[in-house]
Every structure is written in C-alpha cells, then in structure tokens.
Amino acid sequence: MLKRLRESKSMQGTFLALPTTLWMFVLLIIPLILTLIVSFGKRSPDGNVIYTFSFDNYARLIGISHTCADGSATCFDPLYINILWRSLTLAFNTTVVVILMAYPLSYFIARAKPAQRNIYLFMVLIPLWTNFVIRVYAWMMLLRKEGAINIIIGWVASLLHLPFTPLEMLYTPGAVLVGMVYEFLPFMILPIYTSLEKIDGSLYEAAADLGANAVRTFLRVTLPLSMPGVVAGTILVFVPVMGTFVVSDLLGGKQVILVGNLIQRQFLDARDPAFGSAASLILMVMTLIVTYFYTRKFGFGEEIVAA
Amino acid sequence: MSSEFAVELRDVVKKFITPEGNELSAVDHVTMQIKNGEFFSMLGSSGCGKTTSLRMIAGFEWPTEGEVFIEGQPMGHIPPFQRKVNTVFQSYALFQHMTVAQNIGFGLEMEGVEKSEIKKRVGRALEMVQLTGMERRQPKQLSGGQQQRVAVARALVKTPSVLLLDEPLGALDLKLRKEMQLELKALQQQLGITFIYVTHDQEEALTMSDRIAVMSKGKVQQLATPVEIYERPTNKFVADFIGESNFLEGVIKEISKDEATVYVPVLNAELKGMPMSPDFVNGEEVAVSMRPEKIRIVEREADGDTLFKAKVLNSVYIGSDTHVYVDMQGARLKVMEQNRISRLDPSSFYSKEQMITLLFMPENTLILKKG
Ligand SMILES: Nc1ncnc2c1ncn2[C@@H]1O[C@H](COP(=O)(O)OP(=O)(O)O)[C@@H](O)[C@H]1O
Ligand SMILES: [Mg+2]
C-alpha cells in the first residue's frame, strides 16, 4: 500500500486532497443537504420543523399566497420577490459605486512612490481592525437626525442665515447603500491596486513610443490589464452584499428589508426554519447564477487570485 | 534626409539622484554621431549608462546637459511619439491582452491608419519577421524568440528612421540568440534602417555592428569599427574589456615615426618596431598589451629578441582551444593555442613546469597608456 502510494502520482494527489475534502464535506456539503431537507418541511405550531416533502415554502417565495385579502384560496403576493429584487439591485448598485470609488483610489495608490504607497494601503486597511458591527454603529451616529452630519450642515446653514430642518438620513435605502459602500470599499481597492501595481512600467513606455497619449494608454492598456482586479473585487463585494443583514438592519431599520434580514427573521423572530432554509437556498442559487454569468463573461480575475 | 547623421549626442550628461540622495552621472559627457543606415552598438557592462543613453534618444529621459539630435533636429523636450524612432524593449513589453496582430497594429491605430491598411501592413511586418499566420495568437502562446520578433515587428511597422534595441536578445538561450543576431543584422541590411543596439555581450556587438561605442562609467571609452576596437584598442580598459589581453610594463626607449622600441624589464629585452600612436614620448612608462591568441608557442631556442623562455603553470583544454598559463620571470601570461591536432593523446598537452618558447611579433603587440 505504502509502496504504491509512493509510486503513483494520482494516488498521492488523492491522498493529499483528503483532509480538504473531508472538511468540505463536514462544513459545506452536510449543512447544505440538511438545509435542503428542512426547506421542504413545514413549521409546526410550536416553531419546530415538520419534515414533509412539500414545495410550499418555495411557492410562497415566488409569490403564491394562501392568505388573500379578497378571500380567495390563492393569489399573487409580490412581497418576497420584492425583497429578492431589492437585494439584487442593492448589491448591483453597491458594486458599481464601489468600483467607481475604488478605481481612481487604487490608481492613485499604484502610481504613488513606493514609500507612500505603503502608507496609503495601511490607511485603507486600518478600518478593518475594528469590528464590522461597531463601524456600522458609527455610521448610525453620523447619520442620525441629531448626528454629526446634521449638526455640521446645521452649523453651516446658521452661519449663512439659511433655514434648516435636520435631514432624515438614517433608516433610508440611501443610508444602507452608504453603509454597504463603506464596508466593502477595501475589498475592491486591494485587488484593483494589485492588478494595477503588477502592470510593467515598460508597457506605458511602449504605448507612448507607439504614439498613444495618456487617455488612450489608459483605455487601451491600463484598463484592460487591470480588469482581473475589477472582476475579483466585484465578486468579493457582490456576493457578501447579497447576503448581509447587519448593515440593512442597523441603517435601514424596518424600511429596508433584504434577503439576509428575511432569512435571519425566519430563524429567530418568526421561528420558521423551513421557510428560512428555502430563502437561503434561493439566495444561494441567485448569487450563483449572477456570478456564473458574470465570470463566464469576464473570467474569475485569476491573475489576482493567483497573486 | 536633412543630416548626414541619423542620431547625434552632443556632450550629453544625465544625472540621477540615487535613493541615498547622492548625485550620479549615469551618462557623463557623451558625444557620438550615428550615421544613416548604420548598425551601431553601445557595449559595456551593466550600469555603464547604455540604457540611459538609449532612453534619451527615445525621449523617455531628457538630458541634464547637452543635446540629442535626430536627423539634425535638436530634440529638446519632444515626447517619444513625435520622434522618428521606435524602441524594442528588453522585456519586449508586449500587450498581453492583445493578439499578435493587435500588438503590431497598435502604433498604426494610434496614427489613425485605416483598418484595411493596418491589416495589410501588419501582414507585411509579420512576413518580415517570419511569423506569418500568427496574427491571432496571444503573446504568451509564443516562444521567447517569437515574442522578440513580434516586438521588432511592432516597432518596425511604424517605419521609423532609427530603431532602438535595448538588449533585445538578453532573455534568449545561446543558440537562439546567435540565430537572432544574424536575422536582425540581415533585416537591418535589407531595410537600410539605422539600428542602435545596446548589449553587454561583446561577441554580439562584434558580430553585428558596423561601429561600436565601448562605454564604461557613463563615458565612451572608444568608438570605432569592430576590427579597430579589437586590434587597436586605444586604452587599457578597452584592451581588457574586449577579448583578453596580457599586460607587461615597459619603457619607451626610442621613437621613430609611428613605431617605437620598448624596453620590457621582465623580459630583459627591447621589443623593436612596435606600432604606436603619436601621443607618446621618449622615456614614458607604458603598458605593452598582447592578445593571448597572438602569442605563439614555437619549437625553437629562446633568443631574447622575439623568442622568450617561459614556464608552463597550467594548461586548460576548452575544446576548440587550449589555454596555457605561463610564468615568464615573474610575469604571468595567458597564451591561447588552437587545437589544430587531436588532443586525445595526453602527451600532446604541455605539462606543468615544462619550459617552452614563446614568439612575440612586434606588430601584434600594442603600446597603451599605463593608467
Ligand atoms: N531612474 C533612475 N534613477 C536613479 N538612478 C538611475 C535611474 N536609471 C538609471 N540609474 C542609474 O544609472 C546608471 C546607469 O544605468 P543604465 O543606463 O540602466 O545602465 P546599463 O543599461 O548600461 O546597465 C546605473 O548606476 C543606474 O543605477
Ligand atoms: Mg540596461
């Protein structure tokens, strides 16, 4: 046995992959199967799961309702579809805003002198040392009616003798977007920076030598070569934004409910794990579909992952 | 063409501030004139300022002092793309996200050349570097030699009047490098374009160039044809750097026209009829330089006039030649002998401690400043 193991390359490979495979199985495959089983179940009156094989939870998610206002047996209720759609658009908007903010910043950092570059990168990373939830609370302090932003605007307004009523910023979709952008900006900056920093300086000289001005060099050389970073960053931002509930919970209040919040509430407040499981799987499938089509078009940003 | 010279550097200085904050003259009062249609090389060891000189011609750097002229026009701060020169970069600097055809067509596209015309000219450029049919490949699907050709084609398609090449063959293995040397030279002759070629490989420079500028520490040590550089180095640095040289100390005893008689203490003899440049004076201490392959081992008695006794220290067989290290009254010399006969018989080698006779022909020796 040992002798064969020593001689066979493919057996060595299998053997080496064993621990990882085991962990994958225990931590990913088994919970996924359990979730799938539960999602076909029903909520018992005392908040437990009755194991059956019914698609009711999925039907409910896509809008087939049995509690209709007009008293009929079934009707269409877009409640959950709206939540899914809201999550999707928010994730999309967040990603777009984050790309637009991160790209110029990364470009600036990559073009800075090496010593300064490290300082800037350090500044990008510092917020990550503080817990995510605490930083969201900080945003609450800033955005509140009596918060720092309103105080400053009010102060400026009073100096200019303008009338001012404090802005309602907290618990709006805008606040959730701001929070998401803030949370995920570093995850876009770092991969884009890495891909920009890796571009060989002689390519810029070659472009100049061949007659390209700064704008065309950027569009034809810099941008395409940094796309792997943008792609990697997009995946790193889009996927978690689809699933988080902390930001929307704290900054969106009851106004902005996302799939993440929906799932969380099913497991905690509503005590309906079966419905929560179905929602989790729908979220997963939706994220997978979007990522699949996206990566089919742009690749995985392999060069960044490999770096 | 408005000028006899394709490129001229007039007293050019380039200073850099090193990371330690010191001032460094990477290029130090360099003057050279490169003729139209010439294959011109800058040769020197790493850090001697070759790349910096080339980059000033290309327009990536601007001289601190002096002026670069291209076709007689002073370049001042004219940017790279407004100069009729193009560069082949050492790392090739190919755009990895473009195909071979897109790489080569890039420069034409920037000029606003029509699509169909670009296609035609790219096709012709590929033919020129023998890569027809590779249009749609990605650069990373090509071998090093092929990438090198793409880089050459990309620069040549712009029809520059001068092509600048910075150690373009540095990354290739020896055999391919020799092939590419001949190919580049043939291409240059066929196109009649001026090539300015940077290399640290003396054999490469000697093989390809019409003229060579040997550089050291930012200065031009000698600028001449390959034959002159090798046969008539003008100073000890060049004699030592190009090929190999043995140096003996000597004193000039007599000068007549362009010949001299030099007394060499270690030989305890006067060498007569040595070729000499006019800037030496009687009684001056000089270095007498001899190429190892120009010293001959002969089967005669030493006579102390042109024949001298020496003791063999070591002999090294290197295939085509045998290198014999000898001691001549305390002076160590290297002698190279071609293996015209088979050396399979061990007795055909010189043994250690063996006494042999060396022949110095005065016309094969050189008098150089002692410095
Ligand atoms: N941008 C720069 N900043 C500071 N020093 C430089 C710079 N470019 C080159 N040098 C220095 O100038 C000298 C000559 O460099 P270079 O022209 O590249 O030499 P070569 O091409 O002959 O090897 C080296 O000592 C190098 O370190
Ligand atoms: Mg160099």
Side-chain angles (χ1 to χ4, degrees), chain A residues 142-200:
Chain A
L142 291 172
L143 295 173
R144 272 188 329 173
K145 213 165 172 180
E146 317 78 36
I149 294 174
N150 270 326
I151 292 174
I152 291 170
I153 298 177
W155 179 67
V156 174
S158 73
L159 283 184
L160 300 171
H161 303 290
L162 292 170
F164 174 71
T165 41
L167 301 170
E168 298 281 356
M169 288 180 290
L170 197 55
Y171 308 129
T172 61
V176 177
L177 184 67
V178 167
M180 293 285 194
V181 167
Y182 167 78
E183 288 295 346
F184 290 101
L185 195 58
F187 298 99
M188 187 67 81
I189 293 178
L190 294 178
I192 295 181
Y193 163 78
T194 310
S195 66
L196 282 171
E197 195 259 347
K198 272 206 308 194
I199 300 175
D200 180 1

Side-chain angles (χ1 to χ4, degrees), chain A residues 200 202-203 205-213 216 220-221 224-225 303, chain B residues 55 60 81 86-87 89 91 93-95 97-98 106-107 109-110 154 158:
Chain A
D200 180 1
S202 68
L203 292 182
E205 291 189 341
D209 191 60
L210 295 167
N213 58 25
R216 295 178 100 178
R220 295 295 310 277
V221 179
L225 286 174
E303 291 165 44
Chain B
R55 288 169 59 82
F60 300 130
F81 59 90
N86 282 108
T87 304
F89 292 85
S91 53
L94 296 180
F95 304 124
H97 59 294
M98 299 183 194
F106 186 84
E109 198 185 312
M110 294 301 126
R154 185 177 67 177
K158 300 269 288 181

Side-chain angles (χ1 to χ4, degrees), chain B residues 16-18 24 26 45-53 61:
Chain B
F16 288 117
I17 306 297
T18 62
L24 168 91
S45 44
S46 176
C48 72
K50 309 177 294 286
T51 297
T52 306
S53 304
E61 307 277 4

Side-chain angles (χ1 to χ4, degrees), chain A residues 20-21 25 27 29 56 64 100 110 122 126 144 191 201 233 239 289:
Chain A
T20 321
T21 318
F25 196 73
L27 295 176
I29 309 291
D56 282 358
I64 299 168
L100 292 178
F122 188 66
I126 284 179
R144 272 188 329 173
V239 175
I289 290 173

Side-chain angles (χ1 to χ4, degrees), chain B residues 49-86:
Chain B
K50 309 177 294 286
T51 297
T52 306
S53 304
L54 203 71
R55 288 169 59 82
M56 284 191 286
I57 300 171
F60 300 130
E61 307 277 4
W62 292 322
T64 315
E65 289 170 34
E67 185 77 88
V68 174
F69 296 82
I70 296 177
E71 296 189 322
Q73 301 300 311
M75 284 296 112
H77 287 191
I78 292 176
F81 59 90
Q82 285 171 11
R83 303 182 179 206
K84 283 233 49 113
V85 302
N86 282 108

